[in-house]
């Protein structure tokens, strides 16, 4: 007789592993299917806001990650044309007792920590799901190697091109009209940057530089694709020179950080997002199938909430699904359906708000329209910076239901 898994999670990214660890913490085993032969470490790093640290603490790994990442003291947004500061937001203020926790977390360390906390064998690498079908109260998965498996619960954490999202009727994410390059610089002698999140905006371009620790800096550069700048996307050296020429009025040490970045770390990619109305009217879950992370709510990076909200998903999914699987009374399939619907209800409006706010924030920040640029630099800079804190002022709760 074919074995039946309780929970199968497709994808070993942040959302998938956070969900698996959350379930493990409350006593539920899951199987994570990953199509590649190892953990995917693209993305390098991401700004980890207050809401993400609450989720990491709920998963029991917050302190282990804090020890190797600097706590940032402020966000400073400057004009790339003049170099003058347009707005500044304090994360830490010792005189006022303020401590809004923000760090730049290395993606590799996060994924390795999540994997290390899971029981051996939780992740099955080289397992690509190519199709799925309903089989009574179970889901029958067909894998690329010709094998099949059945599961009581299927969670799609398989990214923006999610096969699970497509099975629920969710469309392909839309192109936001902008592209980005991410990079990371390792400086053995140290970078000498203050523990600050620096952004430079203007003329349709935006860049950001964030120290992860004393020797590592994560950075990004976003631009509007055109026939001129698309030429560099196939040549890493040309891409680096283009970025250096377009950074604008930044300190010399910022230029040195880009210069020190290895070419293989600099990868251009189009920015995409889930149309908000898809989440308003579409299916996030159906029966015993649900999506999390980028399969659920891909968004532009303008709030820095993509990975953070994926961690929220993991905690929320583990709590809602745990209540269903560990509950008593009634039909198990009915409890599972109710648990996934509860997850969707908790996460729907939060995700719609993040996607919409990120898109509008990016549109204004990166506009090259003279009127919009004037309003942004003179009046809206503080509002846009404040969006980052407002979006991060959220608590996804604990793994256990509290009364």
């Amino acid at each position: 007789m074919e074995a039946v898994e309780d929970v199968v999670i497709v994808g070993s990214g942040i959302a998938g592993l956070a969900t698996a660890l959350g379930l493990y913490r409350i006593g539920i085993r899951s199987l994570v299917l990953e199509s590649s032969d190892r953990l995917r470490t693209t993305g390098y790093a991401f700004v980890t806001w207050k809401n993400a640290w609450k989720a990491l603490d709920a998963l029991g790994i917050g302190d282990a990650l804090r020890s190797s990442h600097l706590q940032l003291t402020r966000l400073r947004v400057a004009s790339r044309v003049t170099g003058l500061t347009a707005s500044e937001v304090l994360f830490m203020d010792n005189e006022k007792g303020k401590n809004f926790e923000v760090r730049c977390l290395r993606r590799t360390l996060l994924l390795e920590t999540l994997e290390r906390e899971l029981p051996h064998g939780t992740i099955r690498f080289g397992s690509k799901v190519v199709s799925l079908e309903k089989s009574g109260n179970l889901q029958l998965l067909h894998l690329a190697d010709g094998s099949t498996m059945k599961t009581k619960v299927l969670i799609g954490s398989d990214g923006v091109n999610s096969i699970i999202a497509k099975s629920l009727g969710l469309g392909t994410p839309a192109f936001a009209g902008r592209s980005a390059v991410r990079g990371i610089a390792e400086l053995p002698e140290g970078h000498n940057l203050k523990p600050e999140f620096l952004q430079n905006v203007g003329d349709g371009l935006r860049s950001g530089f964030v120290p992860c620790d004393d020797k590592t800096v994560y950075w990004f550069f976003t631009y509007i694709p055109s026939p001129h700048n698309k030429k560099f996307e196939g040549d890493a050296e040309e891409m680096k020179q283009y970025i250096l020429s377009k950074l604008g009025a930044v300190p010399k040490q910022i230029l040195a950080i880009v210069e020190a970045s290895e070419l293989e770390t600099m990868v251009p990619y189009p920015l995409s997002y889930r149309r908000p109305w898809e989440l308003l009217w579409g299916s996030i879950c159906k029966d015993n199938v649900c999506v999390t992370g980028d399969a659920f709510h891909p968004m532009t990076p303008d709030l820095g909430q993509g990975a953070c909200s994926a961690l929220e998903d993991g905690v929320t999914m583990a709590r809602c699904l745990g209540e269903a699987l560990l509950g008593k009374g009634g039909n198990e399939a009915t409890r599972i359906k109710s648990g996934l619907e509860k997850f969707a209800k908790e996460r729907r409006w939060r995700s719609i708000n993040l996607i919409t706010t990120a898109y509008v924030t990016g549109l204004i920040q990166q506009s090259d329209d003279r009127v919009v640029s004037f309003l942004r630099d003179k009046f809206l800079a503080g509002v846009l910076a404040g969006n980052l804190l407002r979006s991060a002022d959220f608590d996804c709760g604990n793994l256990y239901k509290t009364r």
Side-chain angles (χ1 to χ4, degrees):
M1 183 183 230
E2 187 175 27
V4 176
E5 299 288 340
D6 286 333
V7 181
V8 168
I9 300 168
V10 181
S12 66
I14 293 173
L17 294 187
T19 300
L21 181 56
L23 290 170
Y24 173 64
R25 295 293 195 217
I26 59 178
I28 297 174
R29 178 187 177 277
S30 63
L31 176 65
V32 179
L33 302 180
E34 170 55 49
S35 60
S36 66
D37 59 1
R38 61 177 65 88
L39 287 177
R40 301 190 183 205
T41 56
T42 56
Y44 313 122
F46 60 94
V47 179
T48 313
W49 299 90
K50 174 183 176 181
N51 56 313
W53 288 106
K54 287 182 177 293
L56 290 168
D57 285 336
L59 293 170
I61 58 174
D63 287 341
L65 294 166
R66 285 184 177 93
S67 62
S68 54
H69 297 87
L70 293 172
Q71 183 166 0
L72 306 180
T73 60
R74 74 186 68 203
L75 164 70
R76 185 161 60 84
V77 182
S79 167
R80 65 170 294 277
V81 179
T82 65
L84 298 176
T85 299
S87 66
E88 190 174 272
V89 177
L90 288 177
F91 301 146
M92 296 176 62
D93 188 338
N94 293 331
E95 292 183 2
K96 296 182 179 180
K98 180 178 181 179
N99 186 3
F100 193 96
E101 186 173 14
V102 185
R103 303 172 194 264
C104 188
L105 182 56
R106 298 196 67 166
R107 179 183 170 90
T108 301
L109 290 180
L110 171 59
L111 292 177
E112 289 175 349
T113 301
L114 288 166
E115 180 188 32
R116 188 167 55 248
E117 292 293 312
L118 289 167
H120 179 71
T122 298
I123 308 173
R124 186 178 297 178
F125 294 104
S127 300
K128 182 179 181 179
V129 176
V130 294
S131 65
L132 58 146
E133 60 182 287
K134 195 92 161 94
S135 177
N137 289 329
L138 306 175
Q139 287 294 323
L140 176 63
L141 307 181
H142 296 266
L143 278 59
D145 62 5
S147 64
T148 62
M149 69 171 58
K150 291 181 178 180
T151 181
K152 296 178 182 178
V153 184
L154 177 62
I155 300 172
S157 303
D158 46 339
V160 294
N161 298 312
S162 168
I163 189 173
I164 312 302
K166 290 177 182 177
S167 76
L168 293 172
L170 295 174
T172 301
F175 176 50
R178 298 179 289 135
S179 294
V181 178
R182 292 177 292 194
I184 197 160
E186 304 277 0
L187 299 109
E189 303 302 318
H191 49 68
N192 296 318
L193 292 180
K194 294 179 180 178
E196 298 176 346
F197 182 1
L198 307 176
Q199 286 194 39
N200 294 277
V201 299
D203 288 346
L205 301 168
R206 185 165 70 98
S207 61
F209 295 82
V210 201
C212 298
D213 52 42
D214 293 331
K215 299 180 180 180
T216 309
V217 180
Y218 167 69
W219 59 268
F220 62 84
F221 177 83
T222 59
Y223 59 97
I224 299 172
S226 69
H228 171 67
N229 59 35
K230 281 188 73 68
K231 294 178 182 178
F232 72 68
E233 292 186 352
D235 187 309
E237 183 57 44
E238 281 191 28
M239 181 166 56
K240 177 187 277 191
Q241 295 308 314
Y242 174 80
I243 293 170
L244 288 168
S245 71
K246 295 294 184 179
L247 286 176
V250 297
K252 290 182 179 180
Q253 63 192 124
I254 295 296
L255 296 174
I257 286 168
V258 177
E259 287 278 15
S261 301
E262 296 293 336
L263 294 179
E264 58 266 25
T265 72
M266 299 166 58
V267 181
Y269 65 101
L271 301 182
S272 61
Y273 68 104
R274 175 83 66 205
R275 295 175 180 88
W277 52 89
E278 278 195 74
L279 298 185
L280 184 61
W281 305 113
S283 297
I284 300 166
C285 65
K286 183 178 180 181
D287 297 327
N288 57 348
V289 181
C290 195
V291 285
T292 64
D294 281 345
F296 173 11
H297 45 61
M299 65 187 73
T300 60
D302 305 288
L303 293 178
Q305 280 293 332
C308 298
S309 58
L311 288 166
E312 292 178 9
D313 285 350
V315 174
T316 307
M317 174 62 81
R319 180 176 62 247
C320 294
L321 192 54
E323 291 173 12
L325 290 174
L326 299 176
K328 297 180 181 179
N331 179 273
E332 184 180 50
T334 301
R335 295 201 312 270
I336 289 170
K337 180 180 179 182
S338 297
L340 296 182
E341 288 175 347
K342 183 177 180 181
F343 167 83
K345 182 178 180 180
E346 287 193 28
R347 299 299 297 161
R348 188 186 304 272
W349 284 106
R350 167 72 171 160
S351 300
I352 289 173
N353 180 56
L354 290 177
I355 290 171
T356 305
T357 306
Y359 181 84
V360 173
T361 298
L363 203 64
I364 296 173
Q365 282 184 325
Q366 212 159 331
S367 175
D368 56 0
D369 180 86
R370 289 186 178 183
V371 175
V372 175
S373 297
F374 174 80
L375 292 173
R376 178 193 63 220
D377 295 341
K378 297 296 183 180
F379 304 105
L380 297 177
V383 175
L384 296 175
N387 280 343
L388 298 172
L389 299 190
R390 285 187 288 273
S391 297
D393 193 15
F394 181 85
D395 188 349
C396 63
N398 300 314
L399 291 172
Y400 302 92
K401 183 178 180 180
T402 56
R403 297 181 179 179

